[in-house]
Amino acid sequence: MIASSTLNTNCLQMRNIHVIAGFYILLTSLALSACRKDPKPVEEVVTQLVADPNSVAKGFYLVNEGNMNMNKASLDYLDFRKGIYRKNIFNEANPEVVKGLGDVGSDIAVYGSKLYVVVNVSNKVEVLDVNTGKRITQINITNCRYVTFHKGKVYVSAYLGEVGDPTAPNGIVAQIDTATLREEKRIEVGRQPEEMAVVGDKIYVANSGGYSPPNYERTVSVIDVASFKVVKNIDVAINLHRLKADKYGDLYVTSRGDYYDIPSRLFVIDTKTETIKKTFDIGVSNLAIADDIAYYYSTEFSYQTGQNTITYGMLNVKDEQLLDRRFITDGTDKKIMIPYGIAVNPFSKEVFVTDAKDYVSPGTLYCFDSTGKQKYSVTTGDIPAHFAFIY
Amino acid sequence: MKTSCLAIAGFVLLLMCFSVHGQEQNPADTLKRANELKEVQIRRIKISRRQTSSTPLQILSGEELQRMNSLSVADAVRFFSGVQLKDYGGIGGLKTINVRSMGTNHTAVFYDGVQLGNAQNGQVDLGKFSLDNIGEIELYNGQKSTIFQSAKGFSAGSSLYLNTKTPEFKDGQTDHLRAAVRGGSFGLFNPSLTWQKKLSDQIYGSISTEYKHAHGRYKFRLTNGVYDSTLVRKNADIETMRVEGGIYGRLPDSSSWNAKFYFYNDEQGLPGAIVNNVYDFPQRLWSRNFFFQSHYKKETGRYQLMASFKYAHDYSRFLDPNIVKDDGLTNNIYKQDELYFSVANRYQLSPIWDVALSADYQRSTMDANLYRFPYPTRHTGLVALATELHMERLNIQANLLGTLVNDQVEQYYSAGKKQELTPTIMASWQPFSAKEFRLRAFYKNIFRMPTFNDLYYTLIGSTFLRPEYTQQYDVGFTYLRMFEGQLLSQVSLQSDVYFNKVKDKIVAVPGASLFRWSMQNLGRVEIKGMDLNVQTAWTLGPQLHAAAGLTYTYQQAINVTSRDLNYRNQIPYIPLHSGSVIASVDWKNMGFNYSYIYTAERYDQSANIPENYVQPFYTHDLALHYNQQLSNKNIRLSAEVNNVFNQYYDVVTNFPMPGRSYRFTIAYAY
């Protein structure tokens, strides 16, 4: 095309042409280098770990929360018997789901043949086939947080019953039928309810009130399943979060404190009397109970140093005593930046701890044997958090 | 995909062919010749400022700005090299500038010479500054290449200057009026009016006002190759109003002064991240900005003086119906006040040696109806001592900036006092006797203070924070060549290589829960980059002119914070390659403009893994302008098509950008 230009060919103009040609080449290469790849679902990544063919439990699903607004909630599966870790299985199993699992996976649980994944910002409970990970349906619940089960029903806590109504700050617990997978009814509880546990025919819900500091909630709501009514509110402490039942009919409830002056604490509620039985003067961020032992960790921010302090510990739930034992004994705890999830294999008593790092990077799952030594570690999705064992 | 890429490449080539296919020159009459020469000279002056600056300088001004497909300052700065615009999409979406990967907070934005402050978050939303009244945009890496400036001028990693149109009157003219209406996609309705008046021989006045309304809706597409849905971006409505005015005067000793006010008011929807199952957003934002500023400058004689004053008040209200508290919906109100004084002095010690002393004081306060808010007041004192040697072929400037910051709070903890002393040195050298080629280099050590949000935001802020430092090393050259009577009449080239280090980068790190993040001085980033800038002007015929420019940026910006986490990965949202092309052709009273933006693949989080991969994007914009001159009146019609190939893309993950859109303008001026 340059040759076709009607130009005189004196020396200067030859140089001129070189400049033009150079300019074209630059432009063309810029335009050509600009090509996009065809989009495709992000592929599953399989990591070989230590196989345990005799494992009683088959494995577990792990939901990675993903940082808010990033739409990076993801689902991983650890197969104990084959010793393989499958990272990011949802997208390949369900490539047709627009924008995948969604934003901020906040809980996961198995009931019967179905896997329930609560996705908080995506306002839904994803119901999957527990064997294939394929979607069965999606149940929409705005701002849902945690899930539990009782007698063929699914119970989901949600921060708000309704959004946009200034006079409705309370949260709810929704009841969903496991056969029809439809919400049947819902009940108002305290503000911003978090974890739930079932003891006997009652559902206990920890209320946080986290939207309205310093006016946090202080109670555990008690729902009678038969009448589906709140029959009592047990006063515990501000800003409750975790709620786990042991096999002796006690509830272990954590208070987050106010992050400033009131520290995090652990409380034991006796469900027979529905009163506080014991207070542990330790901060607890998360805990898992297997048989007689509760495994916990704590992350506390100090206004004196501007840093986090992380501790790990164990306690006996039978006689409610702190133990001297540690569940990480080989120094791996120093490598964990932010412990975020904890689970215990009820048969092997292996402890699983996840590290959420800086919340915007792939996390790490650590497995510790019953003596506290690291058995293996594997890279997970972002903010690995919640476990559901498959037996 | 591949074929469309080729088509695009072909299109670019075709366009360039078109731009060089000149017509045989007709003998031009003397008047037109004179006009042309004048035009060339004007261009020459602009470019020579670019040439001689010791720090890399890029300018968009006058006609160039008008003909680009740009509504706001944000649209225009995308064409600078070394710049990434963080754009949340749509007319109202937040748009901030990140220069050479150091982070938004390291770029100071100056409006008519005085910095636009934002003590709350240190960022300026460039989408809120209309181009309607902007005459010139300059971007300096490092700082403006002069020692005669306010101490604030020395205080940032890079500086963006927005200069409004100043009144100019030729013989016999006493006033100018410009009325324009813009409309098009997104339901845009955007009338504006500017009136400039010669009040006396020495005093000019100007007033400019603008209204903008848009429903903001646009289509976007989501696909992973299996699902493929096209949806409509909603809740992006915006209504804004701007009024600004100024008085410009000249005193008998030829010193100049001005005083101006600026008022901006808007209400907008705040569409959030498009994530699975969430496509509708009830959040809303109201903003109100007011400032008054005044400036005096005496630039004659051996002793020269400059003084400025500013008062600013900013208000914003954020409503989130999705978060219902015990006392109703979340309704946060933020108010900021700023008071600023500046004095700069320059003394010429000898014909080649100047010294300057500048001192600024700024007082910023913030008020918010937040739980445990400490109500901070920040006093900032800046003193800059600078010197300049300006010889025929060598220019050397050096300065030392002292910064004193004292934060006071009404309750809880304050960040207290901080003192910093930071140097800059820069040089520009003409190695040969010919003036076309110059070498330049600069070193700058500067920091940004933690913002009020970094320090005091409830549950997140940390008063332990130290400033975030940057060090910049830059070496480059400029080259300018004119060709008399040639098809290619002018080529100008500038290119720089640079190495930047960011240390003590302020990042949010997790605490006990997702509710309890904290800010810490953790990050370290190393940036190696290259900027290239080519501008060409073509005289294809007596009435046929063309201009073409290209920018290219290479940036390796890697995270060197910790060997344990994403070590040496490219930091989020910084592409290795990016660039732009602008080409224009003017024939008689018609003008055609083509612009192209290219941003290569990036990652949206620290880990460079497939889950975090963000597709490259490239947009082609076209504009056609028609001018009709009726005696001294001018009517201008413009039609623009943006993103011609309707490419769907995200600049920020989950904040989709618009596809193809249209804009039409009719403007009347005398």
Side-chain angles (χ1 to χ4, degrees):
Chain A
M1 77 212 58
I2 289 158
S4 73
S5 302
T6 50
L7 302 172
N8 301 324
T9 51
N10 69 35
C11 185
L12 243 177
Q13 280 193 335
M14 277 307 288
R15 270 176 68 181
N16 219 328
I17 286 167
H18 287 306
V19 175
I20 299 166
F23 200 66
Y24 279 171
I25 290 162
L26 251 158
L27 269 179
T28 317
S29 52
L30 195 69
L32 278 173
S33 68
C35 296
R36 296 176 123 192
K37 293 178 190 168
D38 287 326
K40 58 174 194 238
V42 176
E43 285 166 11
E44 179 180 317
V45 178
V46 177
T47 311
Q48 185 67 51
L49 303 170
V50 189
D52 178 7
N54 303 320
S55 172
V56 183
K58 284 184 192 158
F60 62 68
Y61 282 97
L62 171 70
V63 69
N64 302 286
E65 292 191 352
N67 195 26
M68 195 184 273
N69 285 349
M70 295 308 292
N71 199 51
K72 282 182 185 161
S74 64
L75 192 61
D76 300 347
Y77 184 75
L78 175 59
D79 187 321
F80 292 143
R81 292 175 190 167
K82 289 184 190 152
I84 56 167
Y85 191 79
R86 297 170 57 205
K87 178 176 169 248
N88 204 350
I89 59 171
F90 184 89
N91 292 327
E92 262 188 40
N94 304 284
E96 72 293 345
V97 177
V98 179
K99 300 226 95 175
L101 190 57
D103 200 28
V104 188
S106 61
D107 201 10
I108 187 168
V110 176
Y111 193 73
S113 62
K114 298 185 188 90
L115 179 68
Y116 297 80
V117 185
V118 183
V119 191
N120 175 248
V121 178
S122 288
N123 301 320
K124 68 169 183 183
V125 178
E126 194 72 54
V127 187
L128 310 176
D129 181 297
V130 78
N131 296 314
T132 62
K134 284 204 184 297
R135 166 189 272 199
I136 297 164
T137 191
Q138 157 187 326
I139 304 160
N140 288 327
I141 297 175
T142 303
N143 212 337
C144 43
R145 288 286 291 173
Y146 289 96
V147 62
T148 193
F149 306 93
H150 186 58
K151 293 186 175 165
K153 306 288 182 193
V154 190
Y155 296 92
V156 177
S157 63
Y159 267 4
L160 289 171
E162 208 174 328
V163 292
D165 179 354
T167 62
N170 281 359
I172 55 122
V173 170
Q175 177 185 293
I176 297 153
D177 186 79
T178 50
T180 64
L181 297 174
R182 293 239 166 88
E183 183 180 328
E184 292 178 326
K185 44 191 168 183
R186 51 172 60 193
I187 185 168
E188 213 171 85
V189 290
R191 289 177 284 121
Q192 292 78 62
E194 301 280 13
E195 288 194 353
M196 299 168 289
V198 177
V199 179
D201 277 326
K202 283 175 179 168
I203 302 168
Y204 296 85
V205 191
N207 299 307
S208 73
Y211 281 169
S212 314
N215 187 20
Y216 293 104
E217 289 277 16
R218 305 184 42 90
T219 61
V220 167
S221 295
V222 185
I223 301 167
D224 174 63
V225 173
S227 63
F228 204 54
K229 285 204 163 68
V230 174
V231 290
K232 189 173 181 179
N233 286 303
I234 309 168
D235 185 83
V236 183
I238 62 159
N239 201 4
L240 302 179
H241 184 202
R242 308 290 177 186
L243 183 67
K244 311 280 185 200
D246 70 8
K247 62 181 182 185
Y248 302 103
D250 292 339
L251 294 170
Y252 284 75
V253 192
T254 68
S255 153
R256 293 183 180 111
D258 69 352
Y259 314 107
Y260 288 98
D261 309 317
I262 305 169
S264 164
R265 285 289 175 261
L266 177 67
F267 300 90
V268 187
I269 295 172
D270 184 339
T271 55
K272 289 179 225 43
T273 60
E274 293 184 340
T275 54
I276 296 172
K277 188 177 176 184
K278 176 150 188 160
T279 302
F280 287 98
D281 283 337
I282 52 168
V284 171
S285 302
N286 201 355
L287 75 162
I289 300 173
D291 289 338
D292 283 350
I293 308 292
Y295 304 74
Y296 69 87
Y297 65 79
S298 159
T299 309
E300 284 208 272
F301 182 78
S302 160
Y303 278 86
Q304 270 65 53
T305 63
Q307 301 291 326
N308 290 317
T309 310
I310 299 166
T311 49
Y312 298 86
M314 295 164 79
L315 59 88
N316 187 317
V317 297
K318 190 178 177 188
D319 51 12
E320 290 112 32
Q321 290 301 315
L322 286 171
L323 300 173
D324 284 338
R325 282 164 55 200
R326 307 278 304 272
F327 61 87
I328 305 174
T329 55
D330 60 357
T332 306
D333 48 335
K334 301 278 183 298
K335 289 206 294 197
I336 300 174
M337 287 170 67
I338 287 284
Y340 200 80
I342 184 165
V344 182
N345 182 328
F347 306 102
S348 68
K349 299 292 187 290
E350 287 166 334
V351 182
F352 296 90
V353 177
T354 59
D355 183 358
K357 313 246 169 117
D358 62 356
Y359 284 21
V360 285
S361 297
T364 303
L365 169 73
Y366 291 95
C367 172
F368 299 97
D369 66 20
S370 53
T371 69
K373 297 217 165 34
Q374 184 185 318
K375 213 172 146 190
Y376 51 82
S377 73
V378 63
T379 301
T380 63
D382 295 357
I383 319 184
H386 311 280
F387 299 81
F389 281 89
I390 313 295
Y391 305 112
Chain B
M1 272 292 165
K2 280 274 185 285
T3 45
S4 74
C5 281
L6 285 171
I8 290 159
F11 179 76
V12 172
L13 278 176
L14 202 81
L15 196 102
M16 296 314 294
C17 287
F18 167 64
S19 71
V20 286
H21 271 285
Q23 291 178 338
E24 287 301 311
Q25 296 196 6
N26 296 319
D29 64 71
T30 21
L31 187 69
K32 274 181 184 156
R33 202 68 174 141
N35 281 341
E36 272 175 2
L37 278 173
K38 214 161 125 194
E39 221 180 303
V40 169
Q41 272 164 9
I42 290 165
R43 281 187 188 150
R44 180 177 220 159
I45 290 159
K46 286 288 178 208
I47 287 164
S48 75
R49 191 147 59 92
R50 264 189 266 218
Q51 273 254 300
T52 54
S53 175
S54 308
T55 48
L57 161 63
Q58 298 176 75
I59 308 173
L60 281 169
S61 58
E63 183 63 17
E64 237 177 326
L65 270 180
Q66 260 199 31
R67 56 164 57 250
M68 281 165 45
N69 300 38
S70 298
L71 190 62
S72 72
V73 168
D75 296 330
V77 298
R78 297 178 303 159
F79 295 98
F80 288 142
S81 60
V83 163
Q84 297 303 322
L85 186 80
K86 199 166 192 188
D87 187 345
Y88 286 83
I91 292 176
L94 176 69
K95 295 165 178 60
T96 56
I97 187 174
N98 182 358
V99 180
R100 292 188 171 177
S101 307
M102 293 183 293
T104 299
N105 293 58
H106 287 284
T107 303
V109 182
F110 294 84
Y111 198 80
D112 280 338
V114 182
Q115 193 183 353
L116 292 164
N118 187 339
Q120 185 182 351
N121 59 27
Q123 305 188 347
V124 176
D125 184 354
L126 297 176
K128 297 212 161 164
F129 290 90
S130 160
L131 277 183
D132 185 67
N133 196 37
I134 300 288
E136 187 177 62
I137 302 174
E138 301 169 297
L139 175 68
Y140 292 89
N141 295 107
Q143 65 197 35
K144 195 173 193 164
S145 179
T146 174
I147 58 164
F148 188 41
Q149 61 179 336
S150 66
K152 279 264 183 189
F154 298 99
S155 72
S158 45
S159 301
L160 183 71
Y161 286 81
L162 312 179
N163 304 322
T164 58
K165 289 174 182 161
T166 44
E168 278 171 32
F169 298 101
K170 286 179 201 145
D171 291 340
Q173 290 178 328
T174 56
D175 69 336
H176 292 303
L177 181 94
R178 184 175 184 272
V181 181
R182 244 185 224 108
S185 304
F186 319 110
L188 177 70
F189 172 63
N190 178 205
S192 62
L193 189 72
T194 301
W195 188 53
Q196 300 175 336
K197 173 80 180 161
K198 189 171 178 176
L199 299 166
S200 78
D201 277 351
Q202 301 299 332
I203 301 175
Y204 300 168
S206 151
I207 189 153
S208 169
T209 182
E210 180 176 8
Y211 171 84
K212 188 161 70 188
H213 183 273
H215 59 60
R217 288 190 294 273
Y218 57 86
K219 278 186 194 163
F220 64 95
R221 181 180 167 194
L222 301 174
T223 180
N224 66 347
V226 178
Y227 65 76
D228 188 347
S229 27
T230 300
L231 299 150
V232 175
R233 187 66 156 155
K234 291 181 285 189
N235 324 104
D237 62 291
I238 183 162
E239 184 176 26
T240 78
M241 202 265 287
R242 170 182 64 86
V243 188
E244 64 182 302
I247 296 181
Y248 307 81
R250 199 164 277 281
L251 298 174
D253 67 349
S254 76
S255 60
S256 63
W257 59 272
N258 68 56
K260 62 176 298 163
F261 75 92
Y262 178 96
F263 177 77
Y264 174 89
N265 189 29
D266 78 8
E267 179 188 344
Q268 64 179 106
L270 215 55
I274 294 285
V275 297
N276 166 270
N277 212 24
V278 184
Y279 307 106
D280 216 343
F281 304 88
Q283 291 84 359
R284 297 197 72 76
L285 184 68
W286 290 260
S287 310
R288 217 160 43 221
N289 308 100
F290 169 80
F291 65 76
F292 170 83
Q293 67 188 44
S294 170
H295 185 69
Y296 170 84
K297 190 177 188 177
K298 177 184 164 290
E299 222 174 346
T300 50
R302 285 184 80 172
Y303 170 69
Q304 304 172 354
L305 174 71
M306 192 155 69
S308 303
F309 163 79
K310 180 178 183 175
Y311 167 74
H313 178 79
D314 297 318
Y315 164 95
S316 71
R317 173 182 168 218
F318 170 64
L319 180 74
D320 188 352
N322 276 357
I323 297 185
V324 186
K325 306 210 275 191
D326 55 345
D327 58 355
L329 308 182
T330 294
N331 183 24
N332 295 333
I333 290 168
Y334 305 92
K335 291 175 196 162
Q336 292 189 72
D337 277 279
E338 184 191 301
L339 201 62
Y340 170 73
F341 300 96
S342 167
V343 179
N345 313 270
R346 177 162 64 180
Y347 187 73
Q348 293 181 341
L349 290 172
S350 83
I352 59 156
W353 189 19
D354 297 351
V355 285
L357 179 68
S358 310
D360 289 12
Y361 167 76
Q362 184 177 353
R363 180 181 182 273
S364 314
T365 57
M366 183 177 164
D367 179 8
N369 63 341
L370 297 174
Y371 161 60
R372 281 186 78 107
F373 192 70
Y375 305 99
T377 297
R378 173 173 290 180
H379 303 273
T380 308
L382 296 150
V383 179
L385 189 64
T387 184
E388 178 175 5
L389 273 174
H390 42 96
M391 286 166 277
E392 177 125 10
R393 281 161 58 174
L394 179 66
N395 181 298
I396 300 173
Q397 293 177 38
N399 69 266
L400 198 59
L401 175 72
T403 308
L404 288 141
V405 178
N406 187 13
D407 278 15
Q408 292 167 338
V409 294
E410 283 178 27
Q411 54 181 3
Y412 309 112
Y413 307 103
S414 109
K417 289 181 186 164
K418 290 193 174 58
Q419 290 177 26
E420 302 291 336
L421 207 59
T422 48
T424 303
I425 182 155
M426 54 173 110
S428 167
W429 178 44
Q430 179 195 314
F432 311 114
S433 59
K435 290 190 169 168
E436 281 96 343
F437 182 72
R438 286 187 84 93
L439 290 169
R440 66 179 170 209
F442 81 87
Y443 164 77
K444 178 159 188 158
N445 180 2
I446 197 69
F447 61 92
R448 68 123 170 148
M449 284 300 296
T451 64
F452 283 168
N453 277 0
D454 294 336
L455 295 165
Y456 305 115
Y457 202 86
T458 314
L459 292 178
I460 293 165
S462 165
T463 52
F464 295 96
L465 289 176
R466 299 182 304 276
E468 176 181 315
Y469 285 93
T470 62
Q471 277 186 295
Q472 300 179 66
Y473 304 84
D474 177 292
V475 182
F477 73 90
T478 60
Y479 175 74
L480 172 74
R481 191 70 198 258
M482 322 273 282
F483 306 97
E484 284 296 328
Q486 303 298 317
L487 197 65
L488 174 62
S489 51
Q490 185 180 310
V491 175
S492 103
L493 198 75
Q494 58 171 321
S495 184
D496 289 81
V497 290
Y498 50 91
F499 177 59
N500 299 342
K501 280 202 279 198
V502 183
K503 85 166 186 186
D504 287 347
K505 195 177 168 82
I506 296 170
V507 290
V509 296
S513 75
L514 277 175
F515 300 99
R516 185 62 188 90
W517 290 63
S518 69
M519 305 305 293
Q520 290 190 20
N521 290 99
L522 265 186
R524 286 178 80 95
V525 184
E526 283 181 8
I527 303 134
K528 285 179 194 147
M530 195 273 278
D531 289 353
L532 172 70
N533 223 303
V534 187
Q535 308 287 331
T536 60
W538 310 73
T539 308
L540 308 170
Q543 296 200 56
L544 186 63
H545 300 273
L550 174 144
T551 70
Y552 167 76
T553 303
Y554 171 83
Q555 276 185 71
Q556 187 199 53
I558 54 172
N559 176 354
V560 290
T561 307
S562 154
R563 283 177 190 280
D564 299 332
L565 193 62
N566 308 319
Y567 188 63
R568 298 192 76 81
N569 280 317
Q570 183 86 356
I571 62 169
Y573 291 118
I574 303 297
L576 269 182
H577 309 279
S578 56
S580 69
V581 173
I582 300 179
S584 63
V585 180
D586 285 309
W587 180 64
K588 293 185 177 167
N589 51 0
M590 305 270 283
F592 171 75
N593 198 74
Y594 163 78
S595 50
Y596 171 81
I597 299 262
Y598 168 61
T599 300
E601 58 189 35
R602 296 142 290 148
Y603 293 93
D604 58 20
Q605 293 187 159
S606 309
N608 294 175
I609 55 173
E611 287 89 336
N612 299 339
Y613 178 85
V614 184
Q615 287 270 18
F617 70 84
Y618 33 99
T619 56
H620 303 258
D621 303 337
L622 301 174
L624 202 58
H625 307 281
Y626 174 79
N627 274 296
Q628 183 64 52
Q629 199 78 32
L630 299 160
S631 65
N632 63 341
K633 296 171 178 61
N634 184 281
I635 291 174
R636 185 184 173 92
L637 301 171
S638 303
E640 301 167 31
V641 191
N642 297 310
N643 195 356
V644 175
F645 293 98
N646 199 28
Q647 184 177 82
Y648 291 104
Y649 66 102
D650 286 4
V651 175
V652 180
T653 294
N654 301 326
F655 288 85
M657 300 292 291
R660 189 185 302 118
S661 68
Y662 305 90
R663 200 153 51 217
F664 304 94
T665 308
I666 177 162
Y668 166 84
Y670 71 78

